[in-house]
Structures are given as C-alpha cells and as structure tokens.
Amino acid sequence: MAEPGVQSVERALDLLEILAELGGDAGLSELSEQSGLPLPTIHRLMRTLVARGYARRLPSRRYALGARMIRLGESAGRQLGAGARRHLARVARELGETANLAMLDGEMAVYVAQAASSHSMRMFTEVGRRVHLHSTGVGKALLGELPDAAVRDIADRAGLSPATDRTITDVDGLLAALAEIRERGYAVDDGEQEIGVRCFAVIVPGAPVPTALSVSGPAARVSFEFGERAVPVLHEVARDVGAELSEG
Amino acid sequence: MAEPGVQSVERALDLLEILAELGGDAGLSELSEQSGLPLPTIHRLMRTLVARGYARRLPSRRYALGARMIRLGESAGRQLGAGARRHLARVARELGETANLAMLDGEMAVYVAQAASSHSMRMFTEVGRRVHLHSTGVGKALLGELPDAAVRDIADRAGLSPATDRTITDVDGLLAALAEIRERGYAVDDGEQEIGVRCFAVIVPGAPVPTALSVSGPAARVSFEFGERAVPVLHEVARDVGAELSEG
DNA sequence: CCGTGTCGTTCCGCACTGTGGAATGCTGTT
DNA sequence: AACAGCATTCCACAGTGCGGAACGACACGG
C-alpha cells in the first residue's frame, strides 16, 4: 500500500487481524510480538476495541474478538453477496447451472454468494456455510494459490477427511492435484465432496481475500465437455467479480 | 462509556457501523450526515479502510463494506461460539434439549452457537443461519428489548411472513405478545416457526449485541411444565453467557 | 504466607499525527 | 457548455496518540 493510512486505525486493524489469525485469545505480550507495537500502545487500542465490543478481555487478562465483529461480518457478507450476485447470475444464465462464490477463511472456505440453476435438480449451498478446502472445487482453487508449505500446514491442522471415496486424503496426492490446477488454471471437484456432483472453479483475481468462483451441478449435466465451455466463462466473470470486490 | 478511546479508531468504527446499518452503500455526504464528521476526515478514514479491504469504493464513488470484514466476522463467530458452547452445553445437559444462542442482525437473528440435545429427535440449527424475528423464540425475545416503534419499523421492512399457521402475522398481535414477553421475562415460540416444535428463549443481559438464549425441541417433550423448569436455568446461564460476551 | 518473576496497566511530557477549512477537481444533469 | 452537488486534496496547527518509566496484578514456588 503506497499511500499511508491513518496510523492508529491501521494498528487497531492489525491487532484485530492478529486475534483472528490466532483463532483463540492472546495476551498483550503475544500481540506485541506479532505486531511490533509497545505494550502501552496496544493496551490503549485494545481498550478502545473492547469498549466498542469488537474485542473482549477475558478474566485471564487475555483478549479475544468481540461480538460486534460478528454483526459487521454478517453485514459485509450480505452486501458483498448482493454485489456479486448479478455476476453469478450471469454464470447461472449462460451455463444453466448453479454458481457459487467462496472465500478463504482459516483452513476452510466460506460461501458468500450464490446464483441458482433453473433446473429442479441442482446444487443448494447455503450462504455462510463453511466447507473443507481439499474436497471442494472452490477449496482446491484457493489452495492452488498457496505455497506447498502452507498447504501442508492447512492439511495438518484441518485434516484431509474423506467426504466420499473420491476425496483426496493424502497430502502428496493433494499437492499433485494442485500443481495441475495451477497449470491449467481451474479446479475440478469430481465427486469428491458429494457423489454424483461435479464442480469447476477458478480464482477471482485481485480480491482482497482469496476468493474463488465455481459452477456446479449433477455430473450427468456438468460433464468435462461442459467444463470446456464453462471455464472461459468462469474466468471472465471472475475478473468482473474481482474488479467489484477490489474496488478502491 | 466513561473512558474515551482512541478517537480516530472510534471514528473508523463509527463509519463501518453506519455502512452496516445502511445495509447497502453510502456516499461521503451520507456518512457525514450520519456521523457528524467533516468530509476530509471521513475521506481519509475511508481511504484507510478501503486500502485494508474493510471497505470498498464503488465506481459510483460510494462506499460499501469490504471482503475482509467477512473474515473477521467469521473468526469472531467461531471464537465466541466456542466460548459460549460450554454454557450452552450446560443447558443441554440439565434440560436435555437443544440450546441455541442467537444475535440480532438487522431485521433478523443469526445463530452463533449451539449445544445439541442427546435425543435422536432434536432441533438442528446451523450456526450462521439467519431467522426471522417474529416467528422464533430468540427473535421475539430480541424484539421484546426494542421500543414498539422499532418493532413496527422492523415489521415494515422485513414483513411478518407466516412460517406456520400459528405464526403471528399482524403487528398489533406481535406487539401484544412482546408486552407479555417483557412482563414475564421470557419468550415462547409455540409452533410458530415449525409445527410441533416449541422453544423458550430469554435475553442475554449485558451482551454488546442484543443476544438471546433458547432451549427447544419437540412440543411433546418441551411442554409448558418443562418451560417452568427451563426458564430459571435459561436466565442463570444467560447471565453467565452475558458476562462472557461482555468481558472488558 | 512471602518473595520473585512475569506480564499487564497507568502516567505524563512531548512531538507527530490527525485534523478540517478552504481551494480545487470530478461527475452527472440539463 | 454551464451549473450544481459532491468528492478530493492541501497544509498549518494543535490536540491527540505515543511509549518509556514506574507501578500494579497475578501466578508460582519455597
């Protein structure tokens, strides 16, 4: 970021991000190590965030994210979903299958928008739902953006649980699949999350959070021939979505 | 709040909250009206938030919440859910039915934590799911905390759709029900969201976001006699949850 | 219980960072 | 093209944010 922002706001956001990345709670010393800020500075900023409900102080004198963060997160999800939905609707219209937009969230992906196919037999994925990375199209597309070491770390932490007997459950197999995804530019979930369901997914370039766009449906309709037609559409729409998400 | 915080952080949070409350996008003038801050101040703060991905600037020069907000919101939800779950587990253990924790989110409630009953026949409510206020126990408990004018406003915006033929669908009926809820200190969803399901809910005192705790299950088991036993437990646990959520 | 070590909290002088009025630029409408 | 409304930039200034030092709180071990 070439243009410096308001320093104290940046610092407060840094602290919130550290708490989110730690996934639990942290003491001031940990926050100091991670942020490089002096304790009194952190203390003052955390006091502000606590007072506003965006962080909470535990009896152990450690800090965690606060309830008001949920509200902002939900609102953002709805707004982004609304903005993205017209782009996803184009996928659904042109390809005739269900389009989904998902973001990287820790060791999982979370669906933030959807446009449904007009078919009676179609994918239904609830917005806000979190799914494993290794067994979904969007998840594998997101993993393909990470270095192998990060993929191994995620695999260690989240595990590679089998959703079906087609799910990749060993990290070497996964890494090989990701190398292929990187080379060809899209991911396929071929019955790995749900038997009889196929999904093609691509990365949304330029999104502030790693984001993937997918089209999916019954394998009978979403064939590999379908995929050859679908992938260019996905790439094109992904660019539009990325432009919308990164506006600014 | 007796203790003033870091002013620029407070102001940045104010702007994010205004964007969330507006539910869509806003121009700088609107943000200025709502916040009382001068345009250049807002512009600089928004520039910082946009650069960090917490807000986006639209081609129309309007602003909306950004993708990184989702991530923080999800992390907060998980952390708070984990913290609340041990309290909810106590409800589930003592009462033998499913306990849920939900927060007010615009004109809806969103579930943030759950502890399931050990019965095979039980409530299943996915964390992150949003539900209507007027037709759920937690929702009515939350509405009971609002002035009548605010309830009317929400009813206007969100509507009073019937989930079942027992759902309250007129605002005067709803206001009468809320008056009763306020007087007796708990809410009941008596087959209003789902036929054959009953739910008792109370407010979590002191939570930074309006929050409600409920216990629910099949009406055959969750009788009014059950409710007489359950409500004191709910109130007690709600106080514990409130203390945990408001720590600081 | 007391002492010690570790970590968190408070204080306050200082300067740098955030501020907002004024000027300028941009956009949309007629 | 002109105009009105809104957004963006600039910069002098002072007030707000800062962090080192001192103090307080807590946990642990003897």
Side-chain angles (χ1 to χ4, degrees):
Chain A
M1 208 44 49
E3 189 73 25
V6 178
Q7 182 181 254
S8 41
V9 174
E10 300 251 16
R11 287 175 163 184
L13 294 174
D14 284 342
L15 295 175
L16 290 173
E17 283 170 19
I18 289 165
L19 285 177
E21 271 152 39
L22 290 178
D25 48 56
L28 285 196
S29 302
E30 286 170 80
L31 290 173
S32 181
E33 277 169 37
Q34 300 270 351
S35 63
L37 298 175
L39 289 176
T41 301
I42 297 176
H43 190 261
R44 192 189 317 102
L45 292 169
M46 290 310 302
R47 200 171 53 195
T48 303
L49 294 171
V50 166
R52 297 291 296 243
Y54 292 97
R56 14 172 218 136
R57 204 174 72 142
L58 309 178
S60 54
R61 299 196 303 175
R62 296 170 70 81
Y63 293 86
L65 290 174
R68 274 196 159 248
M69 206 76 260
I70 301 179
R71 206 130 117 197
L72 278 191
E74 291 285 331
S75 286
R78 281 201 305 280
Q79 288 172 30
L80 276 158
R85 209 162 291 131
R86 63 188 181 97
H87 298 287
L88 270 61
R90 181 176 152 204
V91 173
R93 199 171 52 239
E94 289 194 27
L95 300 178
E97 300 297 344
T98 298
N100 276 290
L101 189 71
M103 290 178 173
L104 185 63
D105 175 28
E107 318 94 29
M108 307 280 267
V110 59
Y111 288 111
V112 296
Q114 191 193 68
S117 150
S118 50
H119 291 275
S120 323
M121 175 67 163
R122 67 177 193 241
M123 292 303 305
F124 179 75
T125 306
E126 196 161 353
V127 166
R129 183 165 164 230
R130 298 174 84 240
V131 291
H132 284 285
L133 292 171
H134 70 289
S135 54
T136 52
V138 287
K140 289 194 296 183
L142 292 168
L143 284 175
E145 292 289 289
L146 305 178
D148 283 4
V151 175
R152 284 183 187 277
D153 189 42
I154 286 171
D156 278 352
R157 280 189 279 130
L160 299 179
S161 53
T164 73
D165 62 5
R166 300 182 63 102
T167 311
I168 302 170
T169 54
D170 69 297
V171 70
D172 290 329
L174 180 61
L175 290 173
L178 298 184
E180 202 176 321
I181 287 164
R182 288 185 195 112
E183 182 165 330
R184 85 192 161 197
Y186 64 92
V188 190
D189 161 8
D190 196 12
E192 290 149 63
Q193 171 69 6
E194 189 174 337
I195 296 281
V197 174
R198 194 174 280 123
C199 167
F200 294 90
V202 301
I203 282 292
V204 174
V209 178
T211 304
L213 171 68
S214 74
V215 65
S216 54
R221 294 200 311 254
V222 181
S223 59
F224 285 96
E225 285 74 46
F226 172 95
E228 283 175 20
R229 183 165 59 99
V231 167
V233 176
L234 287 181
H235 277 304
E236 191 182 331
V237 173
R239 274 193 298 273
D240 292 343
V241 173
E244 173 129 7
L245 290 188
S246 68
E247 292 291 11
Chain B
M1 205 43 52
E3 189 74 22
V6 178
Q7 181 180 251
S8 42
V9 174
E10 300 252 16
R11 287 174 162 184
L13 294 173
D14 284 341
L15 294 175
L16 290 172
E17 283 171 16
I18 289 165
L19 285 177
E21 270 152 39
L22 291 178
D25 48 57
L28 285 196
S29 302
E30 285 171 80
L31 290 174
S32 181
E33 276 170 36
Q34 300 270 354
S35 65
L37 298 176
L39 288 175
T41 302
I42 297 176
H43 190 261
R44 192 188 318 101
L45 290 169
M46 290 311 302
R47 201 169 52 195
T48 303
L49 294 171
V50 167
R52 296 292 296 244
Y54 293 96
R56 328 168 261 149
R57 203 174 71 141
L58 309 177
S60 56
R61 299 196 303 176
R62 295 169 73 79
Y63 293 87
L65 290 173
R68 273 198 159 246
M69 207 76 260
I70 300 179
R71 206 124 122 205
L72 279 191
E74 293 287 341
S75 284
R78 279 199 308 279
Q79 286 172 31
L80 278 157
R85 209 161 290 131
R86 61 185 184 97
H87 297 287
L88 270 62
R90 181 177 152 205
V91 174
R93 201 171 52 238
E94 289 194 27
L95 300 178
E97 300 297 346
T98 298
N100 276 290
L101 189 71
M103 289 179 174
L104 184 63
D105 175 28
E107 318 94 28
M108 306 280 267
V110 60
Y111 287 110
V112 297
Q114 191 193 68
S117 151
S118 51
H119 291 275
S120 322
M121 176 67 163
R122 67 177 195 242
M123 294 304 302
F124 179 75
T125 307
E126 196 162 357
V127 166
R129 182 162 164 234
R130 300 173 84 241
V131 291
H132 285 285
L133 292 171
H134 70 288
S135 54
T136 54
V138 287
K140 289 195 295 183
L142 292 168
L143 284 175
E145 292 290 290
L146 305 177
D148 282 6
V151 175
R152 283 182 188 278
D153 190 41
I154 285 172
D156 278 354
R157 280 188 280 130
L160 299 179
S161 52
T164 75
D165 62 4
R166 298 183 62 103
T167 313
I168 301 170
T169 55
D170 70 298
V171 71
D172 291 328
L174 179 61
L175 290 174
L178 298 183
E180 201 175 322
I181 287 165
R182 288 185 194 112
E183 182 165 329
R184 80 185 166 206
Y186 64 92
V188 190
D189 160 8
D190 196 12
E192 291 149 61
Q193 170 71 4
E194 189 174 337
I195 296 283
V197 174
R198 193 174 280 123
C199 167
F200 293 90
V202 301
I203 282 292
V204 173
V209 179
T211 304
L213 170 68
S214 73
V215 64
S216 54
R221 294 201 310 255
V222 182
S223 59
F224 284 97
E225 285 74 46
F226 172 95
E228 282 174 21
R229 182 165 61 98
V231 166
V233 175
L234 287 180
H235 276 304
E236 192 182 332
V237 172
R239 274 194 297 274
D240 292 343
V241 172
E244 173 131 6
L245 290 187
S246 69
E247 291 291 11

